[in-house]
Amino acid sequence: MKLNATSEMIPITWPEFAHIHPFAPREQLKGYELLDQQLCAWLSQATGYAGISLQPNAGSQGEYAGLLVIKAWHASRGEGHRDICLIPESAHGTNPASAQMVGMKVVVTKCDASGNVDLDDLRAKCEAHSANLAAVMITYPSTYGVFETRVTELCALVHQHGGRVYVDGANMNALVGLAAPGQFGGDVSHLNLHKTFCIPHGGGGPGVGPVCVVDDLVPFLPAHRSAGMGTDAQVGAVSAAPLGNAAVLPISWMYIRMMGAQGLKAATEVAILNANYVAARLADHYDIHFSGGSDKLKGGGVAHECILDLRPLKDSSGVSAEDVAKRLIDFGFHAPTLSFPVAGTLMVEPTESESQAELDRFCDAMIAIREEIRAVEQGRLPQDDNPLKNAPHTAASLLGSDWTHAYSREQAAYPVASLKLNKYWSPVGRVDNVHGDRNLFCSCLPVDAWR
Ligand SMILES: *Cc1c(COP(=O)(O)O)cnc(C)c1O
């Protein structure tokens, strides 16, 4: 997760930003108007696009808005029948969902063994659907953490068949300052200001998913007719407020303003370097999925994230990706993304915000965990009673007089020496995630308790 710097956050507490009603008279919104203009201009520079709307409140809403724009463009040329949206199987789930929402038909295309879009399959599907092709949605770098080396060729191919290219920009943290989707062939992208541009995004929001488009699509960007904004050509509002989640925009403004062009580029470079550092340090211990064409980084690097493939370990030891995620809590880490975009894996996106010492602390933990798994593989620890299966360990479970496990209390609590100096104690032991997800309950008092 990127750092959300205090200095970025402070302005959103100022009443001048915080206490403005979204439908206040236009003459009272001059400051927000300027913020909108400046932020859009900077984001245009970063993405290579001609026009931007800050209205969408999430990446997925940006996708929805962008696909509406593509639809409106086709319709404006008398080609409203074009409704096929090609989406590679590596896509984030919101891509097909958004395409469905705008009434397009999703056709899934294949990826090759290295995680790249399979261009032969894409070409075949472009040809098969040429008359009805509306768009392709790709993600660059992809959700598999891969820079598609043939992305310009891919864009040109789709254009040949009359479709437009949607480049999902959620992974722009690996591009800002280095490459621009509007320049390598994208027609529309969304950004996630709550990912790349520092708006905090724990717990589901608030997000901002600006939709960015090339020149000929600018006339179709979302309007807001009930706020008296926009032309008939434009697609309708995608958000209740004309400027979407305006109150958090100062965070991204501050980030860009303080970083400057040089700083943003350096952040991107360090983010890529950090992901590759983690991948390189862990490559002797884990399979790195989709790393530039071969396992163990031989064929090249990863992009902004690396996927640790734990599936082979499940077969050899019975230890699952979830067990590893829970064991990381004993080492003082909130686990990285679990089982996405590939089930049975951990996806690590360190960003530029972590120091090398912190990356090393994480890698040391993952290597120590690999050794624990090896002990299970070699039969030195039972499959059903080991530090991984029982993680996380609470202080209460370790301090009781009835310790009966096949490994020591010390192994449970202090698997690496540094934890003796600085230890996070989990307040609860293992919870059954699936049971919890399927059995929602209310933690508030029953109504009759208030009588
Ligand atoms: C996060 C993400 C999205 C969706 O963004 P939300 O703001 O969560 O709606 C879409 N595509 C990709 C690749 C993402 O990582």
Side-chain angles (χ1 to χ4, degrees):
M1 193 76 68
K2 278 173 85 105
L3 172 73
N4 317 118
T6 306
S7 42
E8 289 157 13
M9 304 301 293
I10 285 174
I12 68 168
T13 67
W14 296 341
E16 291 87 341
F17 285 120
H19 294 176
I20 297 284
H21 193 280
F23 290 97
R26 289 282 279 282
E27 63 272 17
Q28 294 176 22
L29 292 171
K30 294 274 185 242
Y32 268 114
E33 209 174 287
L34 191 60
L35 187 75
D36 184 12
Q37 281 166 15
Q38 292 181 339
L39 202 49
C40 285
W42 292 337
L43 295 175
S44 285
Q45 275 180 32
T47 55
Y49 284 111
I52 295 188
S53 165
L54 296 175
Q55 211 183 92
N57 290 330
S60 45
Q61 223 175 14
E63 294 168 25
Y64 174 72
L67 292 174
L68 285 180
V69 166
I70 291 176
K71 248 181 100 135
W73 177 80
H74 283 305
S76 75
R77 296 159 33 101
E79 301 222 299
H81 63 278
R82 288 186 175 266
D83 65 350
I84 299 290
C85 186
L86 302 180
I87 303 182
E89 61 191 3
S90 57
H92 193 272
T94 50
N95 290 187
S98 300
Q100 293 275 358
M101 295 261 296
V102 303
M104 289 185 184
K105 296 197 185 95
V106 175
V107 174
V108 177
T109 73
K110 292 186 192 131
C111 287
D112 65 20
S114 321
N116 296 296
V117 174
D118 179 338
L119 269 194
D120 292 336
D121 187 52
L122 188 83
R123 183 173 295 107
K125 283 175 177 148
C126 279
E127 282 163 8
H129 298 286
S130 191
N132 295 315
L133 187 63
V136 66
M137 290 183 94
I138 55 162
T139 305
Y140 190 85
S142 78
T143 295
Y144 286 168
V146 182
F147 286 111
E148 309 267 352
T149 51
R150 294 165 74 185
V151 68
T152 46
E153 193 184 335
L154 186 161
C155 296
L157 173 68
V158 173
H159 289 149
Q160 265 169 31
H161 289 276
R164 302 305 296 252
V165 178
Y166 190 105
V167 180
D168 181 324
N171 298 334
M172 274 295 286
N173 211 44
L175 286 188
V176 177
L178 298 180
Q183 279 165 6
F184 60 66
D187 297 305
V188 186
S189 288
H190 73 265
L191 298 171
N192 295 58
L193 298 192
H194 48 291
K195 290 182 181 166
T196 314
F197 294 91
C198 290
I199 294 174
H201 91 279
V208 183
V211 55
C212 319
V213 299
V214 287
D215 211 33
D216 67 327
L217 297 179
V218 173
F220 302 96
L221 281 172
H224 204 296
R225 299 197 182 91
S226 55
M229 294 153 74
T231 64
D232 284 347
Q234 289 179 254
V235 304
V238 295
S239 153
L243 197 49
N245 267 330
V248 291
L249 293 174
I251 302 170
S252 299
W253 191 97
M254 286 292 284
Y255 172 64
I256 298 173
R257 188 76 186 84
M258 290 192 295
M259 294 289 275
Q262 285 304 312
L264 290 172
K265 181 171 175 231
T268 304
E269 290 168 346
V270 174
I272 296 172
L273 189 63
N274 280 357
N276 280 281
Y277 180 77
V278 171
R281 269 209 70 193
L282 295 183
D284 288 338
H285 306 274
Y286 293 92
D287 284 344
I288 311 290
H289 205 42
F290 304 134
S291 53
S294 78
D295 58 340
K296 310 234 174 192
L297 292 184
K298 278 182 206 121
V302 296
H304 59 303
E305 65 192 21
C306 74
I307 298 177
L308 306 177
D309 195 348
L310 304 175
R311 289 170 298 185
L313 304 178
K314 173 90 186 173
D315 299 333
S316 62
S317 68
V319 172
S320 69
E322 186 178 336
D323 295 329
V324 173
K326 300 291 184 188
R327 183 60 170 148
L328 277 168
I329 300 172
D330 286 332
F331 287 81
F333 288 100
H334 187 294
T337 305
L338 173 65
S339 283
F340 178 87
V342 182
T345 65
L346 281 179
M347 189 263 275
V348 189
E349 181 177 2
T351 80
E352 72 283 7
S353 301
E354 305 297 350
S355 63
Q356 189 181 346
E358 184 67 358
L359 296 180
D360 280 332
R361 197 170 73 85
F362 175 74
C363 292
D364 291 343
M366 288 303 296
I367 292 167
I369 286 173
R370 183 65 187 89
E371 291 312 314
E372 291 182 343
I373 296 171
R374 204 178 315 284
V376 180
E377 286 171 336
Q378 295 174 349
R380 286 180 279 126
L381 281 171
Q383 287 212 357
D384 60 353
D385 182 21
N386 57 62
L388 293 131
K389 284 286 170 213
N390 298 328
H393 297 81
T394 61
S397 74
L398 290 163
L399 295 173
S401 47
D402 53 345
W403 183 260
T404 55
H405 294 297
Y407 53 98
S408 70
R409 289 177 162 102
E410 186 171 18
Q411 176 66 28
Y414 300 126
V416 290
S418 57
L419 288 170
K420 291 187 180 165
L421 296 173
N422 189 358
K423 168 79 183 168
Y424 169 78
W425 292 99
S426 178
V428 289
R430 178 72 65 102
V431 293
D432 185 337
N433 288 352
V434 175
H435 179 85
D437 286 350
R438 289 188 182 159
N439 296 280
L440 293 179
F441 66 93
C442 180
S443 62
C444 49
L445 294 172
V447 176
D448 52 11
W450 298 92
R451 262 197 286 223

